[in-house]
Amino acid sequence: MSPQLLLLFLLLLHIAILPSLQLSHVDLAALADIKASLTDIPGSDFFSSWDITAPDPCSSFSGVTCSLSRVSTLTLGTGLSGSPGLAGSLSPSIANLTSLTQLILFPGLVTGPIPPQIGQLTGLRVISLTNNRLTGTIPSSFSSLNNLHTLDLSFNQLNGEIPPGLTRLQELKVLILAANSLSGELLGVWTQLLHLDLRKNKLTGPLRSLPLTLRYVALSDNLLTGPLNSLQSLSELVYLDLSMNKFNGTIPAELFSPSSSSMFLQRNNLSGGLPSKLVGSTSYGEGSILDLSHNFLTGELSPVLAGVESLFLNNNHLTGVVPEEYIQSVSDGTTKTLFLQHNYLSKFPSKPGLVLPDAVSLCLKYNCMAATVMEGLMSCPASAGEQMSRPASQCSGFNDHNSID
Ligand SMILES: *[C@@H]1O[C@H](CO)[C@@H](O)[C@H](O)[C@H]1NC(C)=O
Ligand SMILES: *[C@@H]1O[C@H](CO)[C@@H](O)[C@H](O)[C@H]1NC(C)=O
Ligand SMILES: *[C@@H]1O[C@H](CO)[C@@H](O)[C@H](O)[C@H]1NC(C)=O
């Protein structure tokens, strides 16, 4: 190669390659700040590749990807199982990475607030800062993140209210704020949300109108009150967990849709009866689970719930005879768990000699039937207690001692 050609080659190399490797000075300074405010917990080696003097942070720093000389995604921590993660705090300089589209912090012990400046990064589509020890409130500046698709701040120590502006973000599809100490009332309408998980907080007040797009709703273990009416038009739901709140009133019949095959309403103050028919023409099938236990449900068992794979109706005020359909479902193994203990049921009309498949758990304890005959069929949780039947004094009008035909 002649010297001229070599020079030309080097010039071309510089033009074609080096600029694309040259991370912007602003971003490099921000990465230095981010590194300075975090540390690897012993056993984690995330920052070992972060040599601030390295010629090309975009290809050498773990957790950093770039586009056009700017940092476009930042993943802090390795996420490897068994890695203890990072400690320290999040630097406000993250906000200088103005081309960032994704910010992830893997589980660790990062403390302190979420820098509100992150709300300036309007290109962000994903923020996931879970399982750390972040404190303070969710920055209201997040209401400006018009491209945000996923926000997951679960399992931290955040408090205060959910910023009202979050409910208006047009692109937000997944919101996971579970296991914090968030308080205040739930807000209505979250535009196009698909997945809402606010489990294990301190939210109060009634349910408000929710977007019809929702497929997954988990609000369990809060202090929510009032009726469930506002859920009745959520026809896309496949998963609903409202357990351990103080909801009252009846369960809207629309919620009994086999397309929504996981429903947890246990430990509320729900009353009224079970549905006599289901939404749609199908029935509950494999993998379906319905837990309505520990409420104040009354009336008789409905045959339409007989095909549910795991059915928990225990600790209610249900009366009457267990329908034949339930007995069929447990004996052919379609229903694998049928918990009916602690009700006022009067009869389990099984044929003598009924044998249940090994995988089936049936519990009928503490009802108004002479259940002793079925002792051999039953497998109850310890919480069902020792007593096979309710005291006769509680059963006047409900009991029927011919429990085997
Ligand atoms: C980030 O930007 C702010 C405002 O432009 C500036 O004052 C600060 O020095 C920057 N931080 C870094 C680490 O460059
Ligand atoms: C639900 O609870 C509220 C407040 O305790 C009460 O006013 C209301 O009557 C209850 N509704 C039903 C249907 O029990
Ligand atoms: C739940 O229902 C029980 C029994 O009806 C009642 O004593 C209790 O006050 C109710 N709690 C709420 C929060 O409505």
Side-chain angles (χ1 to χ4, degrees):
M1 213 183 273
S2 75
Q4 289 91 338
L5 214 58
L6 182 64
L7 199 66
L8 183 66
F9 177 75
L10 286 177
L11 195 69
L12 281 175
L13 187 74
H14 187 77
I15 292 167
I17 310 212
L18 287 182
S20 72
L21 296 181
Q22 202 74 57
L23 180 62
S24 95
H25 294 297
V26 175
D27 285 14
L28 187 60
L31 292 178
D33 271 11
I34 291 163
K35 181 183 177 185
S37 68
L38 292 168
T39 52
D40 278 297
I41 297 169
S44 168
D45 72 342
F46 174 72
F47 280 117
S48 58
S49 66
W50 283 43
D51 173 2
I52 297 296
T53 62
D56 178 17
C58 291
S59 64
S60 62
F61 283 26
S62 60
V64 173
T65 67
C66 301
S67 168
L68 304 173
S69 303
R70 304 298 313 278
V71 174
S72 60
T73 74
L74 179 61
T75 304
L76 298 166
T78 60
L80 295 174
S81 67
S83 170
L86 307 176
S89 60
L90 294 174
S91 167
S93 294
I94 291 173
N96 293 23
L97 303 172
T98 54
S99 293
L100 207 59
T101 61
Q102 182 171 302
L103 173 63
I104 293 173
L105 170 65
F106 277 118
L109 299 175
V110 176
T111 54
I114 299 173
Q117 295 86 338
I118 291 174
Q120 298 159 17
L121 301 177
T122 51
L124 276 173
R125 289 179 48 74
V126 175
I127 299 177
S128 171
L129 312 171
T130 70
N131 272 278
N132 277 278
R133 299 202 177 158
L134 298 169
T135 52
T137 58
I138 299 171
S140 57
S141 60
F142 280 16
S143 307
S144 316
L145 296 172
N146 287 322
N147 289 300
L148 198 61
H149 174 283
T150 296
L151 177 61
D152 184 352
L153 305 175
S154 58
F155 293 89
N156 280 294
Q157 296 166 5
L158 301 171
N159 57 30
E161 301 193 2
I162 300 171
L166 286 188
T167 66
R168 294 189 288 270
L169 291 178
Q170 294 294 326
E171 295 299 317
L172 193 63
K173 301 286 193 292
V174 178
L175 180 65
I176 307 175
L177 305 175
N180 281 289
S181 296
L182 300 171
S183 56
E185 299 209 351
L186 267 186
L187 307 158
V189 183
W190 299 67
T191 62
Q192 303 288 316
L193 208 58
L194 301 176
H195 185 115
L196 177 65
D197 185 351
L198 305 176
R199 272 173 302 147
K200 293 181 190 287
N201 278 290
K202 295 174 179 166
L203 300 167
T204 51
L207 278 181
R208 311 222 186 251
S209 72
L210 291 166
L212 304 182
T213 42
L214 276 171
R215 296 172 55 78
Y216 182 107
V217 174
L219 301 173
S220 54
D221 211 348
N222 277 288
L223 303 164
L224 299 167
T225 53
L228 302 184
N229 303 353
S230 54
L231 295 170
Q232 65 200 15
S233 35
L234 300 187
S235 57
E236 303 295 317
L237 270 188
V238 297
Y239 183 99
L240 177 65
D241 185 356
L242 304 179
S243 61
M244 295 186 277
N245 279 288
K246 293 176 175 175
F247 290 117
N248 68 353
T250 58
I251 306 173
E254 291 82 353
L255 290 182
F256 291 95
S257 165
S259 60
S260 174
S261 58
S262 300
M263 180 155 82
F264 303 90
L265 302 178
Q266 71 271 23
R267 295 180 192 273
N268 278 288
N269 257 18
L270 299 168
S271 54
L274 296 169
S276 54
K277 59 182 173 33
L278 301 177
V279 177
S281 52
T282 49
S283 52
Y284 284 99
E286 215 175 321
S288 54
I289 175 163
L290 228 56
D291 192 340
L292 310 179
S293 64
H294 295 271
N295 279 294
F296 297 94
L297 301 177
T298 52
E300 304 204 346
L301 293 177
S302 168
V304 296
L305 300 183
V308 175
E309 185 173 304
S310 301
L311 182 59
F312 301 88
L313 297 172
N314 52 288
N315 298 78
N316 278 293
H317 292 167
L318 298 166
T319 54
V321 175
V322 178
E324 294 282 355
E325 289 86 345
Y326 285 63
I327 294 153
Q328 183 59 43
S329 277
V330 286
S331 52
D332 67 19
T334 309
T335 293
K336 295 199 164 53
T337 305
L338 179 58
F339 279 2
L340 300 174
Q341 66 271 22
H342 290 255
N343 277 292
Y344 295 84
L345 299 166
S346 59
K347 189 171 178 180
F348 186 79
S350 70
K351 303 282 175 290
L354 174 70
V355 179
L356 300 180
D358 283 345
V360 169
S361 296
L362 168 69
C363 188
L364 298 164
K365 272 186 181 177
Y366 213 68
N367 274 289
C368 292
M369 54 177 113
T372 40
V373 235
M374 273 139 353
E375 213 163 340
L377 287 178
M378 280 202 259
S379 47
C380 287
S383 60
E386 294 299 315
Q387 274 183 277
M388 290 305 290
S389 291
R390 247 180 217 284
S393 60
Q394 296 180 15
C395 289
S396 52
F398 300 137
N399 55 332
D400 178 338
H401 289 291
N402 298 321
S403 49
I404 299 268
D405 285 343

